Structure formats: C-alpha cells, structure tokens
Amino acid sequence: MKDADAVGTAGSAECGDYMHVYIKVKKESGQEIIDDISFETFGCAAAIASSSIATEMAKGKTLEDAEKITKLEIVEALGGLPEPKIHCSVMVADGLKEAIKVYREKKK
Ligand code: FES
C-alpha cells in the first residue's frame, strides 16, 4: 500500500519468516477505523492464508477491536491449521498490533 498511515512488521522466531501489515485509518463518529489494510508476507502458505483472513477480519473495525484479534480467532476463521503451522498465524496478529502501535505513535 503506497499511502499507508502505518506499517507493522512482525517475524517468527520459529522459522525466520516475516511480514508487513499496512493500514489506512479513517475517523468516523469520533472513532478511528481501519479503512484499508493489506499485507506482504514472506512466509509459508499458512502464513499467507492467515494474513489474508486476518486483514479481512480487521477491515472496518475500530483500532481497539482490531488489536484484539487473536491468533486463535484467525485459526478458527481458517477452519483450523495443523499444529506445526499455528505459529504462522501469530505473525499477522503481531503485525497488525504493531501497525496500530506505529499509527498511534505517529499521531502523538
Ligand atoms: Fe514460517 Fe509458516 S513456516 S510462517
């Protein structure tokens, strides 16, 4: 995303893969809402699937609600992941939280 308001980067210590989450935020009725979100994932198919579903889950949510999205909710939304691939879903949850954190720091 070229005009992102913030970018969050997260990696997996388990496999060395990493990703970026890009967010665009709009203010509506006094709340900050994720207006657009995208990702770049340098990881496995499970990480890409997790990133895709998590960004769909976060779009349109307030920052407060989006940062509460857990790896468990992401895995459930995918219909499950094999146990050795659970860590792949953590990256996007962390990346989203980091993007929101970066956005808030830029706004200070
Ligand atoms: Fe690295 Fe899945 S094995 S993200």
Side-chain angles (χ1 to χ4, degrees):
M1 186 187 297
K2 286 181 181 162
D3 58 347
D5 291 322
V7 183
T9 300
S12 170
E14 206 158 316
C15 66
D17 292 333
Y18 66 100
M19 70 167 308
H20 304 298
V21 175
Y22 302 85
I23 58 170
K24 186 125 187 85
V25 179
K26 72 175 176 185
K27 290 193 179 165
E28 202 174 89
S29 305
Q31 292 191 306
E32 292 176 304
I33 292 169
I34 296 185
D35 190 36
D36 201 7
I37 180 167
S38 64
F39 65 92
E40 267 183 304
T41 297
F42 304 93
C44 68
I48 293 166
S50 298
S51 302
S52 179
I53 200 104
T55 52
E56 282 184 35
M57 291 163 73
K59 190 169 181 177
K61 280 195 165 62
T62 64
L63 297 184
E64 289 74 21
D65 287 343
E67 69 187 344
K68 289 180 193 158
I69 295 172
T70 66
K71 72 170 186 185
L72 188 63
E73 291 170 330
I74 295 166
V75 171
E76 283 174 2
L78 284 173
L81 280 175
E83 188 61 37
K85 290 291 179 184
I86 296 294
H87 77 272
C88 312
S89 66
V90 177
M91 267 197 324
V92 67
D94 289 349
L96 177 58
K97 284 179 183 63
E98 182 64 19
I100 292 169
K101 184 177 157 197
V102 167
Y103 172 79
R104 286 180 173 144
E105 284 172 359
K106 283 171 80 175
K107 291 287 166 186
K108 282 184 184 173

